[in-house]
Amino acid sequence: MEQHQSATQRPASRLAVGVVSAGRVGATVGAALTRAGHRVVAASAVSDASLARAARHLPGAEILPPPDVAAAADLLLIAVPDDAIAPLVASLPVRPGQIWAHTSGALGADVLRPAREAGALTLALAPAMTFTGRDEDLERLQGISWAVTGEAEARFVGEALALELGGEPEHVEEADRARYHAALVYAANHLSTLVNDAVEQLRAIGVAAPERLLTPLVSASLDNALRHGDAALTGPVSRGDAGTVARHLAALEGTGVEYAYRAMARRTAERALASGRLKSADAEGLLDVLAHPEKEETSE
């Protein structure tokens, strides 16, 4: 118990933070660490956009090359694309006793193994949030979950940092990181694609403000799904209304959206069947329409 307390209290001291790099995630998390009482002393930034973000969110940070950022930090925050983490780690100096954390949702702490073997405390600390590069990103960190992966002491430090940042730590095993991240991407990124596709279809038929039209519907659907699971499912698939689904597919032909509609309708039918929302007898015609495009019929 004493070990747990000392480890979790470690980030409570004022840490010198280095950020590599000042992209959408790095600049925002760096700003959140500043708000929690730490000092971002150095950051790397190359593009005009990154330099602007560093100036706005990390005003006290000296802009330095990544090796110099690492050398200056007690806590090194690595916020670069997933595939860039391993080669970056191999190129940076390590000071024993440093804390190294990356923000990738898909990768665990093992990608930081060279730093751990050199004496650093290493962890994966990924915010369950999407980042747009706008100022509201910082406020959206309040109350979110942070996926924490690392060995015992590192995990305790990650949990403490998540709490300091106003969030909730969620321990994710090393082997589960890819599946964890896939779930988040499936929900967040695909939702954006679905909504934007719907907006384009409505705009194409002359709806002047499709965003306004969709906001209450999509907001209610999301709230119902999170509150009630499969019991919230409504619509033609849950009713087994094959004729309506066939008309939808015909109307969407040539837009590119019909392929996504067909795939999601199949998955929706599977969930509706498994949860008892859709009866097997009612599903036969629907599944036939979804499985065989040539059998789609439209009413005249």
Side-chain angles (χ1 to χ4, degrees):
M1 184 66 177
E2 289 181 2
Q3 182 183 5
H4 183 282
Q5 288 176 339
S6 63
T8 55
Q9 288 171 1
R10 181 176 181 175
S13 62
R14 191 173 170 85
L15 295 173
V17 179
V19 178
V20 180
S21 64
R24 294 179 181 181
V25 179
T28 302
V29 177
L33 286 166
T34 299
R35 187 167 62 181
H38 303 292
R39 296 177 298 115
V40 178
V41 296
S44 66
V46 176
S47 69
D48 290 342
S50 292
L51 289 167
R53 276 191 291 267
R56 186 166 71 253
H57 294 301
L58 312 172
E62 186 177 3
I63 305 303
L64 298 171
D68 294 335
V69 174
D74 299 324
L75 166 61
L76 181 64
L77 183 72
I78 297 175
V80 299
D82 294 358
D83 291 345
I85 295 176
L88 174 66
V89 170
S91 72
L92 298 179
V94 182
R95 189 174 70 251
Q98 285 179 306
I99 302 169
W100 283 40
H102 72 70
T103 59
S104 166
L107 299 176
D110 197 54
V111 71
L112 302 176
R113 180 184 295 272
R116 182 168 69 249
E117 292 175 345
L121 197 68
T122 57
L123 64 138
L125 183 67
M129 180 48 61
T130 182
F131 294 81
T132 64
R134 298 184 175 89
D135 290 341
E136 60 263 28
D137 287 348
L138 180 58
E139 299 311 314
R140 285 176 174 167
L141 293 184
Q142 286 295 318
I144 71 166
S145 293
W146 295 76
V148 178
T149 302
E151 296 183 349
E153 185 182 0
R155 193 172 80 217
F156 295 148
V157 170
E159 291 169 353
L161 285 168
L163 292 169
E164 284 187 356
L165 293 171
E168 291 291 333
E170 184 71 38
H171 175 60
V172 180
E173 294 288 349
E174 183 84 25
D176 294 332
R177 292 288 295 208
R179 188 174 185 180
Y180 165 84
H181 192 240
L184 269 60
V185 167
Y186 189 79
N189 296 173
H190 295 178
L191 175 61
S192 178
T193 300
L194 287 168
V195 170
N196 288 326
D197 277 348
V199 166
E200 287 182 355
Q201 296 309 308
L202 292 171
R203 187 171 287 125
I205 62 170
V207 175
E211 297 87 354
R212 179 179 60 79
L213 185 154
L214 286 171
T215 293
L217 172 65
V218 174
S219 297
S221 296
L222 177 59
D223 182 65
N224 288 340
L226 292 173
R227 288 175 181 269
H228 307 298
D230 288 320
L233 182 62
T234 63
V237 172
S238 68
R239 297 191 297 268
D241 194 341
T244 296
V245 171
R247 285 189 286 274
H248 289 174
L249 289 167
L252 293 171
E253 186 175 358
T255 65
V257 175
E258 70 270 25
Y259 304 108
Y261 183 103
R262 186 187 302 278
M264 289 304 300
R266 285 174 182 158
R267 182 61 185 140
T268 301
E270 291 170 357
R271 294 199 66 91
L273 280 165
S275 64
R277 305 288 293 177
L278 176 63
K279 303 302 180 185
S280 296
D282 297 330
E284 292 180 4
L286 172 68
L287 294 175
D288 190 54
V289 164
L290 293 173
H292 303 288
E294 69 274 12
K295 293 186 179 182
E296 290 172 10
E297 298 178 358
T298 58
S299 60
E300 298 183 4

